[in-house]
Amino acid sequence: MKNKKIGIISDTHGLLRKEFIKELKGVNLIIHAGDMGNEDILNELNKISKVISVRGNCDKGNLKKILPFSEMIEFQGKCIYIIHDINTLDIDLKVAGVDIVVVGHSHIACKMEKDNVLFINPGGAGPKRFNLPISIAILYFESNELKIKFKYIKD
């Protein structure tokens, strides 16, 4: 596994903050886990790096048409499954050979491991919601190790 990194962002709801644009520069891939809000976000992210995105429950109109409900990709030998809301998980992760699941929806940044699968929610990156922090995540592929770092900003 070479030293690579993925920027993980979710729940922008039409707001791409300049602090997060700076954090995402230099990543090898950006994953957006839904509730993008509008196509301008997708266009801006594509200027930084290749983007893989799924639609969220708030993505309407053309975004609902162009973004898939879920996505599975391979990156650095790891199978990554992306879906907006973990409660709508539509596959058997073990049978599919999934190593990492990326979700959004809750606006709560967290990571956890269950049954040898790493689950990552980058938190909400867009407008402030309740008293929740505003965040994204960077997933580092270093040697044979995965590291996740959450990046927070104050609103």
Side-chain angles (χ1 to χ4, degrees):
M1 191 180 318
K2 295 180 181 177
N3 292 349
K4 302 266 183 177
K5 57 187 177 177
I6 296 177
I8 305 174
I9 187 168
S10 185
D11 297 280
T12 47
H13 292 281
L15 175 61
L16 183 58
R17 296 167 182 272
K18 63 180 184 267
E19 298 92 339
F20 291 148
I21 292 172
K22 183 179 177 184
E23 290 287 346
L24 292 170
K25 289 189 176 175
V27 301
N28 303 98
L29 176 70
I30 296 171
I31 292 176
H32 194 297
D35 281 355
M36 190 173 292
N38 62 55
E39 287 181 69
D40 292 342
I41 303 293
L42 183 59
N43 295 334
E44 286 302 309
L45 290 174
N46 270 311
K47 291 177 185 175
I48 301 167
S49 186
K50 178 181 177 182
V51 179
I52 304 292
S53 184
V54 297
R55 72 175 174 264
N57 58 297
C58 293
D59 289 322
K60 307 295 182 203
N62 199 43
L63 281 178
K64 188 173 182 177
K65 292 177 189 172
I66 65 172
L67 297 177
F69 175 76
S70 63
E71 187 73 70
M72 191 175 313
I73 63 167
E74 186 275 331
F75 187 87
Q76 294 292 290
K78 298 291 184 183
C79 180
I80 303 172
Y81 184 71
I82 309 150
I83 191 164
H84 180 63
D85 182 352
I86 192 68
N87 295 313
T88 60
L89 192 69
D90 59 348
I91 65 167
D92 182 318
L93 300 174
K94 188 174 184 177
V95 170
V98 173
D99 300 296
I100 302 166
V101 175
V102 174
V103 300
H105 190 60
S106 72
H107 293 242
I108 300 171
C110 67
K111 67 175 180 175
M112 66 171 265
E113 194 166 323
K114 183 179 177 188
D115 299 327
N116 294 318
V117 176
L118 176 63
F119 291 80
I120 303 167
N121 186 325
K128 187 149 180 75
R129 183 174 189 213
F130 309 115
N131 288 323
L132 297 173
I134 300 164
S135 62
I136 65 169
I138 307 292
L139 177 60
Y140 296 86
F141 293 75
E142 297 177 352
S143 301
N144 289 323
E145 194 175 349
L146 296 175
K147 293 181 183 177
I148 183 94
K149 292 186 181 171
F150 293 98
K151 307 289 182 167
Y152 296 92
I153 63 166
K154 294 192 184 265
D155 189 37

